[in-house]
Each structure stands twice: as C-alpha cells, then as structure tokens.
Amino acid sequence: ADTARLYTMFTAPPEATLEWNDSAVEGSYRFLRRVWQLAHRHHAALQAATAGNLSGAALRPQAKALRRECHLLLRQVSYDYERMQYNTVVSGCMKLLNAIDDLACDDCEGDRAVLCEGMSLLLRLLYPVCPHITDQLWRELGYSKVHSSLLDAPWPQVDEAALVQDEIELMLQVNGKLRG
C-alpha cells in the first residue's frame, strides 16, 4: 500500500493524470526498502541514542553537516507540504535518506544523536505519504517511548542554530572568469 501511495504522489502532482508505469513503481519500492534497511542497519545505535544531546561542540564536521542538511530539507519539505507539492516532498525525503545514509556513524555519542534526529525527521516527514512502514519503524526504533505514537508526534521544527555555517566557500568572478 505504501509503495502505491508513494508512486502516485511522487510521479505526478495531484491535479494531473497519472499513467501507470511498472518500472517507476519498482523505484518507489526500492526507496522504501532502502529506508527499511537503513533503519535496521543502525537499529542498535538508534535505540541507544538520545536526541537531546546535540551540542554543536560535540559534533564532528560530518555530523554537523548532516544536521544542517537535515534541517534545510525539513524546511523545504514543510514548505512543499503547505503548497501540496507532494512530488517534491518525496524528492526531499529521498535526499534526506541519501544524506543520512552517507554518514559514516562512529561510536561517538554525537554521531548517534545526529543519526537518531535525522531518522526521526525522515520518518515524520514521510509519514503522511507512507503511513504503514513509517509507523512500524517508529515503534521498532523506540521513538514511540519518547514522542508517543507517530500519529501524535509533533511536526518537527527547523532548528535555526543547525543552519549556521562556520565557513562558506565563495567564488569570485570578474567578467565571467573565475578569479578566486
């Protein structure tokens, strides 16, 4: 059921007609399978993590970058839900999954906390689109002990502190040519 819902929401806007495509349905299934596999690959770390310990000083640069990416995508997906642009909602969730999957989670507390927060965001953002798999993972990973059921969990809020960057890379062009 979740695969069919994800496919219909991702393939076309609600007002457009949709032509069934078996290969695109397979892609939706692969995405949901990746979400499931990520959750089970990090099952122990996610259950042990406490999302409350996210002080910026305790985070490695990789974890800090993931946290920033998570909150940027949270802002984008929340805005897309307001506009009822479900295809870009699913796209944002796919980007979030890729970002979480790229984190090489060490045994440090900061990495586990960012992984826990990222997975929590992914499940809450994906819940309106795929309620069955997300609710199952929410309960299995222990989020229901902290936030109650996924249905009653509050919508995540963007942490503006997570969006702050220590450095930015700026390109300098003069007359269309890169100078620095």
Side-chain angles (χ1 to χ4, degrees):
D2 283 339
T3 300
R5 287 173 58 102
L6 182 71
Y7 167 72
T8 57
M9 290 184 170
F10 181 57
T11 305
E15 65 275 358
T17 58
L18 175 66
E19 188 173 317
W20 192 261
N21 181 344
D22 287 339
S23 64
V25 173
E26 178 65 29
S28 296
Y29 174 74
R30 280 194 313 269
F31 168 71
L32 291 177
R33 191 174 58 208
R34 281 187 61 214
V35 171
W36 186 268
Q37 289 170 344
L38 176 73
H40 284 83
R41 186 171 53 243
H42 297 291
H43 188 269
L46 288 167
Q47 283 192 325
T50 57
N53 188 14
L54 282 171
S55 61
L59 299 179
R60 294 182 315 129
Q62 277 184 312
K64 222 174 179 182
L66 172 61
R67 187 154 193 264
R68 182 175 186 280
E69 182 73 16
C70 286
H71 285 275
L72 284 172
L73 288 168
L74 169 60
R75 184 185 334 176
Q76 174 207 333
V77 170
S78 296
Y79 179 69
D80 290 338
Y81 267 123
E82 290 171 9
R83 295 180 329 165
M84 292 190 286
Q85 296 292 318
Y86 301 119
N87 53 341
T88 55
V89 164
V90 175
S91 173
C93 290
M94 290 177 175
K95 290 177 188 175
L96 184 56
L97 175 66
N98 289 336
I100 294 169
D101 207 13
D102 287 343
L103 177 70
C105 188
D106 287 341
D107 285 336
C108 73
E109 184 70 24
D111 283 3
R112 285 194 304 266
V114 171
L115 178 68
C116 181
E117 180 187 38
M119 196 64 186
S120 169
L121 289 174
L122 177 64
L123 293 176
R124 285 187 272 182
L125 294 176
L126 203 52
Y127 180 67
V129 179
C130 303
H132 306 324
I133 190 172
T134 53
D135 186 61
Q136 180 67 29
L137 288 174
W138 186 264
R139 284 187 277 118
E140 281 184 19
L141 297 174
Y143 290 113
S144 57
K145 295 173 186 167
V146 179
H147 301 288
S148 73
S149 73
L150 186 52
L151 179 63
D152 297 328
W155 189 255
Q157 300 299 313
V158 176
D159 182 4
E160 296 296 330
L163 300 179
V164 175
Q165 288 181 282
D166 295 333
E167 295 180 4
I168 62 168
E169 188 171 322
L170 185 65
M171 304 300 224
L172 179 63
Q173 288 186 347
V174 177
N175 294 329
K177 294 184 181 183
L178 184 65
R179 300 292 181 196

